[in-house]
């Protein structure tokens, strides 16, 4: 019985010893992930900063503090009421982009760096926007962002934090001011629309008048060219007829005969009551009469008068 009890006790001691060794190994070997950093304290005092990878700690002597994230972090702070220079309360939402650059300073120089960044952002924002009126605050976001970033980066440098960007997510004026601004913008849009409409009408009228002027000019030029071409054609036709007559060498009898064939056409129409016959026609008719042997005109003949003078004859239609 005694040997059995001793064996059981020895087994229990060995199990406890194995568990203790496992715990010691677990506490001694640590793996730091990428983009993380760890601060090691030895007997309550800062000893070193652990980089990503495998590291060995002294059990019960070294203590590893919670790991810090070295990646750039984005923190959105709730809306903060800010009073502008013209005594209007606006609500501003901010977003801060920052990164831990010194794990030791971020651990020992500030208790809670996220809360510190939030409070510093709020106070700096009130100082910056307090010197601007509402219109300037709404239209000067880049200026406000630059001032906030400069102040935060300078203040958080000793905390081991680098502020890369500060953005104003929203600036909300009071509802009454929003209604007034909407009415003002609506009136401005209506005014611009009226100006653009009037300008378009003016340009349309100018273009229409210019088109009509160009059309009239082109039409007049076309009519002038057509008249010139028509006159040139008639001139060439007359010249050709004249040349053809002279080349044919017509006699006076032939010319008189052709003229007599043309006389009935002169009397056509009910309004032709009186027409004039040149005196040269009389000489031509006398020549034809001498040829045909009809010198004495009949009672119904036309009296052409003296060959040397122009005479008139009447014809009843």
């Amino acid at each position: 019985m005694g040997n059995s009890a001793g064996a059981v006790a020895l087994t229990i001691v060995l199990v406890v010893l194995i568990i203790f060794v496992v715990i010691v190994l677990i506490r001694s070997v640590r793996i730091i992930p990428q983009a993380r950093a760890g601060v090691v304290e030895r007997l309550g005092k800062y000893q070193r900063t652990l980089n990503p990878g495998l590291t060995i700690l002294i059990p019960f002597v070294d203590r590893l503090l919670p790991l810090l994230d070295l990646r750039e972090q984005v923190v959105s702070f709730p809306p903060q009421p800010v009073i502008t220079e013209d005594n209007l309360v606006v609500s501003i939402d901010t977003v801060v982009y920052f990164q831990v650059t010194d794990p030791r300073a971020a651990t020992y120089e500030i208790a809670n760096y996220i809360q510190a960044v939030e409070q510093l952002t709020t106070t700096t924002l009130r100082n910056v926007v307090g010197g601007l009126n509402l219109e300037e605050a709404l239209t000067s976001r880049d200026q406000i962002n630059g001032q906030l970033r400069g102040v935060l980066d300078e203040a958080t440098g000793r905390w081991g934090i680098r502020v890369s960007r500060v953005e104003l997510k929203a600036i909300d004026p009071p509802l009454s001011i929003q209604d007034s601004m909407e009415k003002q913008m609506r009136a401005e849009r209506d005014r611009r629309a009226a100006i653009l409409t009037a300008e378009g009408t003016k340009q349309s009228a100018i273009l229409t008048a210019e088109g009509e002027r160009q059309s009239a000019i082109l039409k007049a030029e076309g009519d002038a060219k057509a008249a010139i071409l028509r006159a040139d054609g008639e001139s060439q036709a007359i010249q050709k007829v004249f040349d053809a007559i002279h080349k044919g060498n017509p006699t006076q009898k032939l010319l008189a005969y052709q003229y007599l064939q043309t006389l009935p056409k002169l009397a056509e129409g009910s309004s032709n009551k009186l027409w004039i016959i040149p005196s040269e026609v009389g000489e031509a008719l006398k020549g034809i009469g001498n040829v045909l042997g009809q010198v004495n005109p009949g009672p119904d003949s036309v009296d052409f008068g003296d060959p040397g003078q122009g005479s008139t004859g009447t014809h009843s239609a």
Side-chain angles (χ1 to χ4, degrees):
M1 294 292 295
N3 293 331
S4 299
V8 172
L10 181 60
T11 302
I12 293 174
V13 171
L14 291 175
V15 171
V16 172
L17 183 60
I18 292 172
I19 294 174
F20 178 76
V21 172
V22 171
I23 293 174
V24 170
L25 291 176
I26 292 174
R27 293 179 63 89
S28 299
V29 178
R30 292 296 177 91
I31 297 177
I32 307 300
Q34 185 66 33
R36 300 290 193 279
V39 175
V40 177
E41 292 181 348
R42 179 166 293 176
L43 300 177
K45 184 179 179 181
Y46 172 77
Q47 200 271 333
R48 69 182 187 274
T49 299
L50 300 181
N51 295 321
L54 180 65
T55 185
I56 302 298
L57 301 178
I58 300 176
F60 308 106
V61 177
D62 294 339
R63 183 169 72 94
L64 180 63
L65 299 181
L67 300 180
L68 297 176
D69 194 344
L70 300 181
R71 296 173 297 179
E72 187 172 9
Q73 303 180 44
V74 182
V75 179
S76 178
F77 300 131
Q80 299 293 331
V82 180
I83 301 177
T84 61
E85 187 181 19
D86 46 359
N87 296 325
L88 293 176
V89 180
V90 295
S91 180
I92 302 180
D93 297 352
T94 55
V95 179
V96 178
Y97 298 78
F98 67 93
Q99 184 178 13
V100 177
T101 57
D102 187 355
R104 179 184 178 279
T107 302
Y108 296 107
E109 297 296 335
I110 189 72
N112 188 338
Y113 57 82
I114 294 180
Q115 183 179 3
V117 170
E118 178 182 1
Q119 296 300 323
L120 183 60
T121 300
T122 301
T123 55
T124 305
L125 185 63
R126 288 175 178 173
N127 291 334
V128 173
V129 178
L132 303 174
N133 56 39
L134 179 60
E135 184 177 357
E136 293 174 346
L138 294 175
T139 57
S140 303
R141 291 196 176 193
D142 293 339
Q143 178 183 354
I144 297 174
N145 293 339
Q147 293 183 7
L148 285 175
R149 180 185 177 280
V151 174
L152 291 176
D153 195 23
E154 181 180 359
T156 57
R158 61 186 183 88
W159 299 341
I161 297 174
R162 181 180 64 86
V163 177
S164 58
R165 294 181 63 186
V166 179
E167 296 290 341
L168 300 183
K169 187 166 61 176
I171 301 178
D172 299 325
L175 294 178
S176 59
I177 301 299
Q178 292 183 17
D179 294 338
S180 300
M181 293 173 62
E182 290 179 359
K183 292 179 181 179
Q184 181 180 359
M185 292 302 298
R186 191 179 302 112
E188 182 67 18
R189 286 193 296 268
D190 294 340
R191 184 182 69 84
R192 292 180 181 178
I195 292 175
L196 292 176
T197 301
E199 188 68 22
T201 303
K202 174 185 175 182
Q203 292 295 332
S204 176
I206 292 174
L207 292 176
T208 301
E210 183 68 20
E212 292 177 353
R213 186 178 70 86
Q214 292 292 338
S215 176
I217 292 174
L218 293 176
K219 184 178 179 181
E221 292 178 353
D223 294 341
K225 291 181 179 180
I228 292 173
L229 293 176
R230 190 162 47 247
D232 291 341
E234 293 176 355
S235 174
Q236 293 177 5
I238 293 173
Q239 184 66 36
K240 288 183 179 180
V241 172
F242 181 79
D243 293 340
I245 292 173
H246 281 276
K247 288 180 180 179
N249 194 17
T251 62
Q252 186 176 8
K253 299 175 183 180
L254 179 60
L255 294 177
Y257 178 72
Q258 291 294 332
Y259 194 86
L260 287 175
Q261 289 181 340
T262 309
L263 288 178
K265 296 182 180 180
L266 298 176
E268 291 180 355
S270 59
S271 61
N272 295 331
K273 302 300 182 181
L274 178 65
W275 38 279
I276 301 173
I277 299 175
S279 59
E280 291 79 1
V281 177
E283 296 179 359
L285 292 178
K286 287 182 178 180
I288 295 174
N290 293 330
V291 173
L292 299 178
Q294 298 176 355
V295 180
N296 295 322
D300 295 333
S301 300
V302 179
D303 183 11
F304 293 100
D306 187 1
Q309 298 178 354
S311 59
T312 61
T314 60
H315 173 72
S316 297

